[in-house]
Amino acid sequence: SRRTAGELLLGVRGVLGRRWEPRWFALEGAALSWSGDAARKAGAADVDADCAVEATGATELRVTRQGDVVVELRARDRTRRDVWAASLQAAVDAAVARTAGAAPALA
């Protein structure tokens, strides 16, 4: 399965709005996971056929599932954002293909 990993910023919603916290992200197949240091929480989300990936800024991405935000990410630059967007979209496309009964087409 395809694997993408790297440091990104995780968008965390708080009382005063959104803040960005560094995390190490990994996407293996359809499993997106993130970890931080001892003071920061780890997390995970499955990227499935109901997910959508959208660029929300020059370096920002949002993954939604049926309109609800699953995770918001910020990359260091547009190139890294594009790599993550392509990897996440490939995971969604593979999930759609599995749902339709076709073989997944991961690059």
Side-chain angles (χ1 to χ4, degrees):
S1 76
R2 184 177 182 164
R3 179 169 167 61
T4 303
E7 186 176 41
L8 297 168
L9 297 174
L10 173 67
V12 178
R13 297 255 179 219
V15 177
L16 301 175
R18 180 178 56 197
R19 67 185 188 280
W20 296 98
E21 297 182 355
R23 297 287 192 276
W24 182 263
F25 281 82
L27 176 65
E28 181 118 25
L32 177 65
S33 61
W34 56 92
S35 60
D37 60 25
R40 297 184 178 122
K41 292 184 178 181
D46 289 326
V47 179
D48 58 32
D50 292 327
C51 287
V53 179
E54 61 181 305
T56 57
T59 60
E60 297 171 14
L61 287 172
R62 179 180 298 141
V63 179
T64 58
R65 181 179 290 115
Q66 298 178 342
D68 294 326
V69 175
V70 174
V71 66
E72 291 179 291
L73 310 169
R74 180 185 281 173
R76 186 176 308 162
D77 54 43
R78 185 181 292 259
T79 300
R80 286 190 175 105
R81 183 209 63 187
D82 292 347
V83 166
W84 277 93
S87 295
L88 288 162
Q89 188 60 54
V92 171
D93 293 345
V96 168
R98 281 192 304 276
T99 301
L106 292 177

